[in-house]
Tab-separated table of all heavy atoms in Angstrom:
chain	number	residue	atom	x	y	z
A	80	GLY	N	120.776	200.206	267.771
A	80	GLY	CA	121.065	200.969	266.562
A	80	GLY	C	120.109	202.130	266.416
A	80	GLY	O	119.039	202.164	267.025
A	81	ASP	N	120.495	203.079	265.579
A	81	ASP	CA	119.690	204.268	265.340
A	81	ASP	C	118.850	204.159	264.073
A	81	ASP	O	118.042	205.037	263.792
A	81	ASP	CB	120.592	205.505	265.234
A	81	ASP	CG	121.324	205.792	266.537
A	81	ASP	OD1	120.770	205.453	267.606
A	81	ASP	OD2	122.438	206.335	266.481
A	82	SER	N	119.064	203.103	263.292
A	82	SER	CA	118.296	202.899	262.072
A	82	SER	C	117.980	201.412	261.939
A	82	SER	O	118.596	200.570	262.601
A	82	SER	CB	119.094	203.373	260.855
A	82	SER	OG	120.197	202.509	260.632
A	83	LEU	N	117.029	201.109	261.089
A	83	LEU	CA	116.697	199.703	260.877
A	83	LEU	C	117.857	198.947	260.226
A	83	LEU	O	118.010	197.752	260.456
A	83	LEU	CB	115.427	199.563	260.030
A	83	LEU	CG	114.120	199.739	260.788
A	83	LEU	CD1	112.921	199.620	259.860
A	83	LEU	CD2	113.984	198.743	261.912
A	84	GLU	N	118.681	199.635	259.437
A	84	GLU	CA	119.858	198.986	258.860
A	84	GLU	C	120.802	198.510	259.964
A	84	GLU	O	121.319	197.397	259.916
A	84	GLU	CB	120.604	199.924	257.893
A	84	GLU	CG	119.994	200.047	256.528
A	84	GLU	CD	118.882	201.088	256.458
A	84	GLU	OE1	118.646	201.807	257.462
A	84	GLU	OE2	118.234	201.168	255.408
A	85	GLU	N	121.030	199.369	260.957
A	85	GLU	CA	121.905	198.998	262.071
A	85	GLU	C	121.287	197.881	262.910
A	85	GLU	O	121.990	196.965	263.344
A	85	GLU	CB	122.183	200.217	262.952
A	85	GLU	CG	123.070	201.254	262.309
A	85	GLU	CD	123.260	202.496	263.174
A	85	GLU	OE1	122.905	202.468	264.367
A	85	GLU	OE2	123.765	203.501	262.641
A	86	ILE	N	119.992	197.963	263.147
A	86	ILE	CA	119.311	196.907	263.910
A	86	ILE	C	119.391	195.591	263.152
A	86	ILE	O	119.711	194.551	263.720
A	86	ILE	CB	117.850	197.303	264.206
A	86	ILE	CG1	117.822	198.495	265.170
A	86	ILE	CG2	117.064	196.127	264.772
A	86	ILE	CD1	116.451	199.127	265.342
A	87	TRP	N	119.123	195.628	261.836
A	87	TRP	CA	119.177	194.421	261.005
A	87	TRP	C	120.584	193.830	261.015
A	87	TRP	O	120.756	192.625	261.189
A	87	TRP	CB	118.724	194.739	259.586
A	87	TRP	CG	118.867	193.606	258.630
A	87	TRP	CD1	119.714	193.531	257.567
A	87	TRP	CD2	118.159	192.359	258.660
A	87	TRP	NE1	119.573	192.330	256.922
A	87	TRP	CE2	118.622	191.596	257.575
A	87	TRP	CE3	117.188	191.824	259.487
A	87	TRP	CZ2	118.155	190.311	257.304
A	87	TRP	CZ3	116.708	190.542	259.215
A	87	TRP	CH2	117.188	189.808	258.139
A	88	SER	N	121.600	194.674	260.852
A	88	SER	CA	122.986	194.189	260.877
A	88	SER	C	123.300	193.534	262.213
A	88	SER	O	123.959	192.497	262.262
A	88	SER	CB	123.966	195.344	260.639
A	88	SER	OG	123.851	195.819	259.325
A	89	GLY	N	122.826	194.120	263.299
A	89	GLY	CA	123.043	193.543	264.623
A	89	GLY	C	122.374	192.190	264.777
A	89	GLY	O	122.955	191.262	265.352
A	90	LEU	N	121.156	192.056	264.260
A	90	LEU	CA	120.454	190.768	264.333
A	90	LEU	C	121.178	189.702	263.514
A	90	LEU	O	121.361	188.565	263.964
A	90	LEU	CB	119.009	190.923	263.857
A	90	LEU	CG	118.088	191.749	264.751
A	90	LEU	CD1	116.750	192.010	264.063
A	90	LEU	CD2	117.879	191.067	266.091
A	91	VAL	N	121.614	190.081	262.315
A	91	VAL	CA	122.346	189.122	261.458
A	91	VAL	C	123.633	188.694	262.150
A	91	VAL	O	123.960	187.506	262.190
A	91	VAL	CB	122.640	189.737	260.070
A	91	VAL	CG1	123.569	188.843	259.265
A	91	VAL	CG2	121.335	189.979	259.309
A	92	ARG	N	124.366	189.637	262.729
A	92	ARG	CA	125.608	189.310	263.442
A	92	ARG	C	125.347	188.345	264.592
A	92	ARG	O	126.076	187.382	264.787
A	92	ARG	CB	126.260	190.573	263.982
A	92	ARG	CG	127.046	191.351	262.978
A	92	ARG	CD	127.752	192.547	263.630
A	92	ARG	NE	128.545	193.251	262.660
A	92	ARG	CZ	128.134	194.328	261.994
A	92	ARG	NH1	126.945	194.840	262.214
A	92	ARG	NH2	128.930	194.910	261.106
A	93	GLN	N	124.307	188.613	265.387
A	93	GLN	CA	124.014	187.769	266.548
A	93	GLN	C	123.665	186.341	266.129
A	93	GLN	O	124.061	185.386	266.796
A	93	GLN	CB	122.856	188.357	267.358
A	93	GLN	CG	123.240	189.613	268.102
A	93	GLN	CD	122.046	190.224	268.791
A	93	GLN	OE1	121.487	189.632	269.701
A	93	GLN	NE2	121.649	191.417	268.358
A	94	ILE	N	122.937	186.189	265.030
A	94	ILE	CA	122.527	184.854	264.595
A	94	ILE	C	123.648	184.156	263.834
A	94	ILE	O	123.960	183.000	264.090
A	94	ILE	CB	121.243	184.939	263.745
A	94	ILE	CG1	120.079	185.396	264.625
A	94	ILE	CG2	120.935	183.593	263.085
A	94	ILE	CD1	118.817	185.744	263.874
A	95	ALA	N	124.287	184.862	262.907
A	95	ALA	CA	125.305	184.233	262.058
A	95	ALA	C	126.618	184.011	262.787
A	95	ALA	O	127.231	182.949	262.672
A	95	ALA	CB	125.543	185.090	260.815
A	96	ILE	N	127.061	185.002	263.540
A	96	ILE	CA	128.381	184.938	264.162
A	96	ILE	C	128.293	184.485	265.612
A	96	ILE	O	129.142	183.776	266.099
A	96	ILE	CB	129.096	186.297	264.042
A	96	ILE	CG1	129.231	186.668	262.562
A	96	ILE	CG2	130.455	186.262	264.704
A	96	ILE	CD1	129.673	188.078	262.308
A	97	GLY	N	127.263	184.936	266.306
A	97	GLY	CA	127.088	184.519	267.693
A	97	GLY	C	126.752	185.690	268.585
A	97	GLY	O	126.969	186.853	268.230
A	98	PRO	N	126.254	185.386	269.781
A	98	PRO	CA	125.845	186.447	270.692
A	98	PRO	C	127.010	187.261	271.251
A	98	PRO	O	126.812	188.378	271.689
A	98	PRO	CB	125.122	185.703	271.813
A	98	PRO	CG	125.655	184.317	271.753
A	98	PRO	CD	126.019	184.065	270.324
A	99	ASP	N	128.201	186.722	271.206
A	99	ASP	CA	129.364	187.426	271.748
A	99	ASP	C	130.059	188.288	270.699
A	99	ASP	O	131.198	188.688	270.879
A	99	ASP	CB	130.369	186.429	272.325
A	99	ASP	CG	129.770	185.610	273.449
A	99	ASP	OD1	128.890	186.138	274.158
A	99	ASP	OD2	130.166	184.443	273.606
Side-chain angles (χ1 to χ4, degrees):
D81 296 331
S82 69
L83 280 178
E84 281 85 6
E85 290 176 13
I86 293 170
W87 174 247
S88 292
L90 292 171
V91 171
R92 280 184 178 96
Q93 289 175 65
I94 293 170
I96 301 169
D99 300 329

